[in-house]
Amino acid sequence: MWSSSRRGSAWLSVFNEIAAAVLDARGTVLTWSRAAEDLLDRTAEEVCGKPVGDLLVSAPEWCRRDEADETGTGHAERALLRHRSGDAVEVAFQVLPLPYSSLLVLAAPAGRVIDWEQGAALLRALLAQDRIGIGIHDTDLTVVRTNITPDMFGGPGLPIGSRLTDVMSPPDAENAEAALRQVLDTGVPLAVHEQGMRSPQVPERRWSFLLSALRLQDAEGRASGVAALCTDATGQQRTRRDMELRYQASVRIGASLDVERTAQDIVDVLVPAFGDLASVALAEAVLEGDEPPKILGGGELHLRLAAVASAAGSWPAALLQPGDAVPPWPDHPLLRSYQRGEAVFADRVSYVGAFGTPKILREATPEGGHSMVSAALYARGLTLGYIDVWRTEQQEPFDQQDADLLSEMASRAALSVDNARRYTREHRAAVALQQRLLPRATTDSPAADTAGAYLPAGGGAEISGDWFDVIPLPSLRCALVVGDVIGHGLPATATMGRLRAAIQTLADLELDPTELLTHLDDLVDRIATEAGPEHQDTIGATCLYALYDPVTGRCTLASAGHPPPIVVQPDRTPRILQELSPGPPLGVGGMPFETTTIDMAPGSILALYTDGLIERADHDADTGLRHLMDELAAHCRPDRPLTETGRALLADAAAPPQRDDIALLLARTRILPPHATAAWEFPADPAIVADARKATLRQLTAWGLDDLAIATELVVSELVTNAIRYAGGPIGLRLIHDHVLICEVTDPSNTQPRLRRARWTDEGGRGLFLVAQLTARWGSRYDQSGKTIWAEQHLPLASTTPPRPSATNAAPSAS
């Protein structure tokens, strides 16, 4: 409480502002106080003995009568007094009767009287209400006035004469008194300071108050205490916590399409804001992307722990660990409640009473857990799993409001889990489809040793239409293909499959690369037309087609809007094929494609790729292309398998996860040795057929293929004869010896040879039929100067296959 000296000083400062005067019955001033002198700047000698009316700017009613009412006015009035300076001073006054017909007039500045009246009214209003707590403390922070009772906030009251340490825990009281002391010392008000509170009288509960405080001063400006106002923000704090939880759940849960990642996001939101331990168990089928079984009641629930979070940092080792199967649960109404999608809460005693088997107590009940709440992940009538939250360090038990909040969050989270589950199913189907559409990762042929790799976008989260292909062609040649379909998902994968099948068919026709891309462009245009007008602008592709001939060591390329390939020389020097002129992407139409032919040194590596390998979020395509060249120079070594080189390149591209798919095809080229080929040129004279047969027999003897002499002699005879008869000269004959024997006859005609069955009366027409019967397969291809008819024979089992050409083989020469 205030001391008597402090109280007397405070009261004196009020009385010093009240002016007093004594008047006789005629209104003559008899006595003039010091406060009155200060009020009007007029001394008692100047005023006493004179009518009081001389001091009035306007006189009240009682001053205008001849004699004042002996009883006085009995109530306060207003008047304007004349200051020495001539200014008017408004005062509030009251006239009180004195003995012997004299009057006592008490006056104070009207503004001060209003302040006193309003201040008193405000204090009475504050102390009378029960929503805002007010405490007036003296300079020792002892309570002198308060309205805080035990009924106000459901906790301890604040008695007069007490200190905050009497009703608050020491840490909370120390914090609050430090804030009030700072206001008292500095005079700077405290505005809406959030103050936590625990009380020794109610140790299991915690309050949160919004505290505001200001310093009290006497008339001389000296600190006389501090007034503190507080409102209960416990409910507001909980509301803010719940709103923050909802917000965090909306922005963090569902950002991933991975089921386990989504489950982890759920528990990360709940801990530590909602509880100390949280776990999500999901149905085993959900983890595989399938729909969960419908189970009601206890027994084997077919659940696995998918995600956990602990406020302490580490998940208790005694509990179930992520990936563990949830043990069987006894049947209980609580279990059936949240199997139907309801959220339930229970204290430890009730929980143990309901599910207290030794295994559950050991693996599912944390030490120190005193309260739990659980909700089902329920979506589309399916129970995908459950969320369990325990409080161990937080003292407040879960209540129905907490259960409702978790139920709301679980409903939203269940949709995210179900979306991730459905995506997992579709993603696996897309991956399986694309894996079946892509060729073998590695091939080994006389033309090249190849290794291909495919890397989906987003670390495997997205499947697209990037592809590569290695197509073996007649005469030991091979086609190397890489392409990129616009878009993602199954539609892009399906389009990729159609394009790959078309390329294989067109490649078997041995078309020129530009002609092949032209046909492919028409196909993409038809696919866009089939898709409908709304999707026509989203269907397209880029493609690079390379045709390599190991006999000549030449590679012919054509591009439909695709990034240029890179050639790594045998000395590991990389070079971009800038001379390759790319045409428009497939589906654009209206522009021709161009062919570029280059010579490949033995052991060179041709790198074909899609733009996902060079275009990254942190750099542009040109920077990525230079980086790829550096990586190729570092990893492309003659003694290193191409599969290892490909893995190294993709490992660098996959960190961080790339935004687009990547298809990569590496081909280390080979050249046949000179002794593996033999070539001749003849004029269009029927007499040279015998010369062609003799040259063929000599070469077969040199290769040790006498067993094929008769069949090959007939094939050469028929093909050369047909060329002389129908095409004219010059006529080229070439034999290629590898794992098969290939016979090629070239003529200047573009007429397509046709196989037909001759009638017994026909004199001709049996040549190609004989060729087809004597060889494993045959066909024809065209170039700018004519066509080539080829026929292929398998070698006898006893024949020795020549060694596979290596990077050191020299270029071939004609004989």
Side-chain angles (χ1 to χ4, degrees), residues 1-14 123 135-145 160-162 184 215-219 222-227:
M1 299 180 67
W2 280 341
S3 63
S4 59
S5 61
R6 175 68 67 185
R7 182 171 64 247
S9 175
W11 292 347
L12 184 60
S13 65
V14 175
L123 182 59
I136 300 177
H137 305 255
D138 63 12
T139 54
D140 296 327
L141 299 184
T142 301
V143 179
V144 295
R145 294 289 296 276
I160 295 177
S162 65
L184 192 61
R215 186 170 69 179
L216 302 178
Q217 299 179 160
D218 58 19
R222 294 173 298 184
S224 60
V226 60

Side-chain angles (χ1 to χ4, degrees), residues 47-64:
V47 176
C48 290
K50 297 180 180 180
V52 70
D54 296 344
L55 301 176
L56 298 174
V57 175
S58 61
E61 183 64 28
W62 66 271
C63 287
R64 291 196 293 269

Side-chain angles (χ1 to χ4, degrees), residues 272-294:
F274 190 67
D276 300 305
L277 296 170
S279 63
V280 171
L282 296 176
E284 294 173 346
V286 171
L287 295 171
E288 298 298 324
D290 299 324
E291 291 192 351
K294 294 183 178 181

Side-chain angles (χ1 to χ4, degrees), residues 97-122:
L98 294 177
Y100 309 109
S101 300
S102 59
L103 300 173
L104 173 63
V105 182
L106 301 177
R112 294 294 293 159
V113 174
I114 293 174
D115 290 345
W116 295 336
E117 291 176 347
Q118 292 179 347
L122 175 62

Side-chain angles (χ1 to χ4, degrees), residues 325-348:
V326 174
W329 283 65
D331 196 3
H332 192 274
L334 280 177
L335 178 64
R336 290 177 175 263
S337 294
Y338 65 77
Q339 283 178 338
R340 289 190 295 267
E342 302 173 13
V344 298
F345 65 96
D347 57 22
R348 188 181 185 89

Side-chain angles (χ1 to χ4, degrees), residues 379-432:
R380 299 187 304 108
L382 302 173
T383 303
L384 308 175
Y386 305 95
I387 305 174
D388 293 327
V389 187
W390 281 89
R391 284 180 177 170
T392 56
E393 299 299 325
Q394 300 181 36
Q395 298 300 316
E396 292 83 0
F398 288 114
D399 55 20
Q400 185 59 50
Q401 184 176 342
D402 293 318
D404 293 340
L405 174 62
L406 185 61
S407 178
E408 176 186 339
M409 295 177 63
S411 297
R412 297 181 179 180
L415 296 177
S416 298
V417 172
D418 193 47
N419 287 338
R421 176 195 67 81
R422 297 165 72 179
Y423 172 79
T424 298
R425 180 183 61 193
E426 294 180 4
H427 179 262
R428 289 183 177 180
V431 169

Side-chain angles (χ1 to χ4, degrees), residues 78-138:
R78 298 285 185 93
L80 292 178
L81 302 181
R82 185 175 290 107
H83 193 270
R84 176 184 292 277
S85 64
D87 295 335
V89 178
E90 185 179 11
V91 297
F93 68 91
Q94 187 171 9
V95 179
L96 301 175
L98 294 177
Y100 309 109
S101 300
S102 59
L103 300 173
L104 173 63
V105 182
L106 301 177
R112 294 294 293 159
V113 174
I114 293 174
D115 290 345
W116 295 336
E117 291 176 347
Q118 292 179 347
L122 175 62
L123 182 59
R124 285 194 302 270
L126 287 174
L127 293 174
Q129 53 79 45
D130 59 358
R131 299 292 298 275
I132 302 175
I134 181 171
I136 300 177
H137 305 255
D138 63 12

